[in-house]
Amino acid sequence: MKISELAKISGITASTIRFYEAKGLLPKIQRNINGYRHYSQDSVQRLATIECAKRLGFKLADILNVLADSGGVTEGLDHNKIVEQLDIRLLEAESLIKGLLAQRDEIVLFKQRLQESWQQGKCLAMGEILSADKR
């Protein structure tokens, strides 16, 4: 199938498909005599795999790391490597969540301090704002 057909089926733009090919996420594609790229049905599955990994927050380099060793779409994937990468991504996500929760708590506290100060007809002085960072 041509790149336009692959784009339509996969929902991924032709320019993104070319980008993935250039980065090695898609195997080198055969070209017809007229120079058009010719993609197989495996390319549809490969793109679906890449998009799934992106939704899970993986960087393209991580995706390439897992896909590089595979011979086919699902055959040859190193299951241990996939699980290892999922564990790493899970730890990253948990760390981000922890950081965001701490930031949320700090925002709530700062908002309360501002509102209390404003209710008293005062503004927080620069020193009070900076001291809030150290709490």
Side-chain angles (χ1 to χ4, degrees):
M1 76 184 81
K2 293 181 189 174
I3 195 166
S4 60
E5 296 169 292
L6 180 59
K8 185 175 181 180
I9 291 170
S10 67
I12 299 169
T13 65
S15 61
T16 300
I17 294 169
R18 283 188 214 94
F19 175 78
Y20 289 163
E21 187 179 341
K23 292 294 183 185
L25 292 163
L26 286 174
K28 288 292 180 193
I29 302 303
Q30 296 178 0
R31 290 186 180 258
N32 293 334
I33 294 171
N34 59 9
Y36 291 158
R37 289 173 170 89
H38 177 76
Y39 294 90
S40 68
Q41 192 62 35
D42 285 350
S43 297
V44 176
Q45 183 61 42
R46 185 80 166 223
L47 288 171
T49 301
I50 293 166
E51 290 300 303
C52 175
K54 282 179 49 184
R55 280 193 312 277
L56 294 174
F58 286 98
K59 297 177 184 107
L60 291 181
D62 296 330
I63 299 169
L64 181 59
N65 183 31
V66 171
L67 294 178
D69 296 335
S70 70
V73 175
T74 55
E75 304 85 355
L77 287 177
D78 184 340
H79 295 174
N80 291 329
K81 188 183 269 189
I82 292 169
V83 170
E84 179 183 315
Q85 290 296 316
L86 287 168
D87 286 340
I88 290 168
R89 182 63 193 132
L90 185 58
L91 287 173
E92 290 171 351
E94 288 172 349
S95 177
L96 286 170
I97 290 168
K98 184 178 176 182
L100 287 171
L101 288 172
Q103 187 176 36
R104 182 198 64 190
D105 292 345
E106 189 172 346
I107 289 169
V108 168
L109 179 62
F110 190 73
K111 180 181 168 188
Q112 288 172 345
R113 291 186 67 219
L114 278 176
Q115 288 175 325
E116 289 169 3
S117 179
W118 291 341
Q119 284 174 352
Q120 297 171 4
K122 301 187 233 175
C123 286
L124 286 178
M126 185 59 72
E128 292 174 301
I129 293 172
L130 295 175
S131 69
D133 294 340
K134 295 181 174 134
R135 290 182 184 188

